Amino acid sequence: MAQGAGRTIAQVVAVAALAAAVTVFLSVAAVRHGFFDLQVYYGALTFWARDGGEIYDFLRAGTQYGFTYPPFAALVMLPMAYLSWTAAIAVSVAATVLVSAVVIWWLLDPVARRSGWTRWFTLAVALCLAAAYEPMRETVNFGQVNMLLLFLVAVDLLWLLPARSRWAGVGIGLATAIKLTPGIFIVYLLVTGRWRAALTTVGAAAVATLVAAGLFPDASREFWTEALWNTDRVGELAFVSNQSLRGVVARLDPQEPSTVVWLVLVLATLAVWGWRCRRAVAAGDEATGLALTGAVMCLVSPVTWVHHLVWLLPGLILLVDNGMAAPARSRRRRLLLGAALVGYALLCSRIVWSWEKDFTGVDGFLGSNAYVWISLALLLGLPIRRWLTPGGGGRPGDDVPAGSAAGGVPQLAEQDRGASAGQRHRVGGLLAVR
């Protein structure tokens, strides 16, 4: 009893010390954006719902930025128009923190179980580290919706799809109706042969879009015919915050970025992604499918701001899961945990901003696109775990071809390995990333 109490006290002290260190780090490194994007949402919704204007006509004062999401997103956010600004901030921050904690817990809990870590301590440490992660702190400081979308997709891929639920796909459909980029997960379902879930996803997105169109026909007409195609409302492609392949190409020639080169890169990236996702799903590793698709979404989207890179979180956590599953003191464990540490450290560092004003030269090419290289590394090198499901073969820590072991679909308990699909239950390996 005394030993357990001593351990708990030590863990509490460690968490408090880590939280203090992260607070100091954020006071120095975090940029205060004043909830800029939330101000755009709040202003547009207020202008639309209370002042009688059209939501897509609104521009934040002194900027070209307006509401860029589909009308269903406006419907979901509509209650914000009737809150005070302070209450809107509180709701935004609380919602992001809550869903972030849930998603991180889904991914880390199996690792904690398998490694014998105290579960509350694991989550507390993970949340402290997440607070220092640049895409996460940018999401909070801008008042963005990224983690809410990741949560909806994760519900489908980590819970409903492995359980063969008839509702699998609804989360992806709603996320796509809120913001178009998660629609790549529909392609993921098609590429990996889950036709029913893909149809459910399309149906959910269509129903949500039609409901919004029925309620707000003028706004829907304006979005689908005009606002969607107005790229001036998005921002400058060559801006260093755009950590996509399109951003890489634009920074090579900001005046005339090559669309052909970009499309060739996108097609090659999608081909690799499709191949790797099929291998992941064949091995029963749905969470690695989530991580790979999150990474490819960041790569192929024309605009991937730094805060969108929260979609890389599953991939980083999966590296940790694979590392901890490898034999102790093995080269594989050192390599995977080292890769996770380096990727995380770079994504906390704001390193790309060192080339914000001048991204010319070799150093500019390498440094200004640092986060793109991390996305590519996860796409190409994230292992696929073949030991997650019956018939997968292998065991935790086995070396398998690239695309073979990165935790994250419900891992089956040993006693369930002979059970039917309807009897199986999820007890581990949920570890697996706009």
Side-chain angles (χ1 to χ4, degrees):
M1 181 68 71
Q3 184 178 4
R7 181 186 184 190
T8 299
I9 292 172
Q11 289 175 336
V12 170
V13 171
V15 170
L18 179 60
V22 169
T23 300
V24 172
F25 172 76
L26 293 178
S27 70
V28 176
V31 176
R32 305 294 187 267
H33 299 292
F35 299 97
F36 183 93
D37 290 356
L38 187 65
Q39 286 186 39
V40 173
Y41 307 154
Y42 187 80
L45 290 164
T46 302
F47 178 69
W48 179 46
R50 299 172 63 181
D51 298 339
E54 285 295 337
I55 190 168
Y56 296 108
D57 291 340
F58 174 84
L59 293 178
R60 188 177 185 275
T63 76
Q64 79 274 30
Y65 296 108
F67 196 83
T68 58
Y69 296 164
F72 181 69
L75 174 61
V76 172
M77 297 181 188
L78 187 58
M80 188 190 303
Y82 301 96
L83 298 176
S84 68
W85 172 237
T86 301
I89 293 175
V91 170
S92 173
V93 173
T96 296
V97 170
L98 176 61
V99 298
S100 299
V102 171
V103 171
I104 290 171
W105 179 245
W106 286 346
L107 296 173
L108 271 181
D109 184 47
V111 190
R113 288 173 179 266
R114 192 175 63 241
S115 302
W117 299 340
T118 305
R119 295 163 73 195
W120 75 263
F121 178 69
T122 301
L123 179 61
V125 169
L127 291 178
C128 288
L129 296 178
Y133 183 64
E134 184 180 356
M136 181 69 78
R137 64 185 194 243
E138 293 280 283
T139 287
V140 173
N141 284 332
F142 273 115
Q144 264 284 344
V145 299
N146 305 306
M147 286 306 301
L148 299 173
L149 301 179
L150 177 53
F151 171 79
L152 288 173
V153 173
V155 169
D156 269 343
L157 268 59
L158 300 182
W159 292 96
L160 299 182
L161 200 60
R164 300 185 182 181
S165 169
R166 70 180 65 183
W167 298 102
V170 171
I172 296 172
L174 293 177
T176 303
I178 292 171
K179 187 174 182 178
L180 300 180
T181 47
I184 194 168
F185 285 93
I186 302 175
V187 184
Y188 167 74
L189 294 174
L190 293 172
V191 165
T192 54
R194 271 74 65 82
W195 308 105
R196 177 175 176 174
L199 287 174
T200 301
T201 298
V202 172
V207 168
T209 300
L210 289 174
V211 167
L215 293 173
F216 316 120
D218 292 339
S220 296
R221 187 181 309 110
E222 184 172 357
F223 176 79
W224 295 108
T225 61
E226 295 183 30
L228 175 61
W229 314 104
N230 185 359
T231 57
D232 291 338
R233 297 161 65 95
V234 177
E236 174 59 44
L237 291 175
F239 183 41
V240 75
S241 183
N242 184 13
Q243 291 293 302
S244 69
L245 292 173
R246 186 62 161 157
V248 173
V249 173
R251 283 186 285 277
L252 288 174
D253 186 359
Q255 301 305 316
E256 296 183 17
S258 174
T259 300
V260 173
V261 171
W262 173 59
L263 289 176
V264 169
L265 291 173
V266 165
L267 291 175
T269 301
L270 289 174
V272 172
W273 163 75
W275 170 67
R276 299 218 62 213
C277 283
R278 288 179 63 86
R279 289 169 64 87
V281 171
D285 196 355
E286 200 75 65
T288 292
L290 165 64
L292 294 174
T293 306
V296 86
M297 181 172 66
C298 294
L299 289 167
V300 304
S301 175
V303 174
T304 297
W305 302 134
V306 169
H307 57 76
H308 295 145
L309 296 175
V310 294
W311 288 93
L312 299 185
L313 267 178
L316 293 174
I317 295 175
L318 285 171
L319 286 176
V320 174
D321 185 37
N322 279 274
M324 294 306 300
R329 294 183 294 277
S330 66
R331 180 175 179 273
R332 177 181 177 83
R333 172 174 284 200
R334 291 195 301 271
L335 178 63
L336 291 171
L337 294 182
L341 178 61
V342 170
Y344 170 77
L346 287 174
L347 283 164
C348 290
S349 68
R350 287 184 53 84
I351 189 171
V352 298
W353 298 98
S354 300
W355 290 272
E356 180 181 5
K357 302 299 183 183
D358 181 10
F359 36 74
T360 58
V362 174
D363 67 311
F365 175 72
L366 296 175
S368 69
N369 300 307
Y371 300 165
V372 179
W373 312 141
I374 296 174
S375 297
L376 282 170
L378 288 171
L379 176 64
L380 295 171
L382 189 62
I384 297 167
R385 298 189 311 185
R386 299 185 179 281
W387 43 272
L388 288 170
T389 56
R395 57 187 173 80
D398 276 352
D399 282 320
V400 286
S404 93
V409 137
Q411 178 185 348
L412 295 175
E414 192 67 34
Q415 62 268 30
D416 295 323
R417 292 193 181 276
S420 67
Q423 296 170 321
R424 294 169 188 160
H425 63 275
R426 317 156 41 84
V427 295
L430 242 185
L431 248 183
V433 138
R434 117 124 199 1

